[in-house]
Amino acid sequence: MLEDQLYRQELLDIIRNPSNRGEIAKPDLEARLVNPLCGDEIKLQLKLSNNQELRTNNQKVEKATFSGNGCAISQASASLLAEYIEGKNLEEVRKLNSSDILGLIGINSTPSRLGCALLSLEVLRKAIAK
């Protein structure tokens, strides 16, 4: 019970003061997705180091921002993910998986909320696939 209360409080703190919420004027990579089951929406924008026409795995994420609307889990996930990937190179970012995201959030999600928790990862994958 105490663990559930701590989890809820941490999520609420993230939602009240999300890291990396905003927009990048000229992002190098960008993607937006909507979860069709619940309507959660996330847009992720990335600014890369050594902005070049040709993307390389050694380029680092200099800045990552998110915007959107949705439940506490989807918005906290997006905030934590954007903060986490800053400073990482694209090769590291490409290797992120659902277990990594759930570990960042620190929850054992129910099947019905798993899509909310992993929406940020899907948006990230879409952005870096471009």
Side-chain angles (χ1 to χ4, degrees):
M1 180 82 121
L2 181 59
E3 189 174 313
D4 286 345
Q5 289 174 336
L6 290 174
Y7 150 72
R8 286 187 191 115
Q9 187 58 47
E10 285 181 36
L11 277 183
L12 290 174
D13 289 345
I14 292 168
I15 296 307
R16 287 184 191 120
N17 301 302
S19 299
N20 299 42
R21 186 173 192 82
E23 300 272 333
I24 297 173
K26 293 182 180 180
D28 295 312
L29 301 172
E30 176 180 283
R32 178 184 167 277
L33 285 175
V34 175
N35 182 337
L37 299 176
C38 65
D40 289 355
E41 171 187 0
I42 295 174
K43 178 169 80 171
L44 186 66
Q45 295 179 311
L46 306 177
K47 188 72 171 171
L48 303 176
S49 64
N50 303 323
N51 187 11
Q52 305 165 352
E53 287 296 316
L54 180 61
R55 304 271 181 244
T56 67
N57 281 338
N58 292 327
Q59 284 183 287
K60 290 190 177 190
V61 177
E62 283 185 357
K63 181 76 178 158
T65 63
F66 81 98
S67 58
N69 298 297
C71 70
I73 292 173
S74 72
Q75 299 302 292
S77 172
S79 178
L80 291 166
L81 177 66
E83 184 177 21
Y84 181 76
I85 64 173
E86 284 188 346
K88 298 209 175 346
N89 64 42
L90 288 179
E91 183 176 357
E92 293 172 294
V93 171
R94 281 188 177 92
K95 292 178 182 177
L96 289 174
N97 60 44
S98 57
S99 295
D100 296 324
I101 304 307
L102 295 175
L104 284 175
I105 303 169
I107 63 168
N108 293 319
S109 181
T110 62
S112 63
R113 301 304 295 244
L114 196 57
C116 302
L118 297 177
L119 182 61
S120 62
L121 178 61
E122 295 305 314
V123 175
L124 175 62
R125 287 178 175 163
K126 182 178 177 183
I128 61 178
K130 293 184 178 183

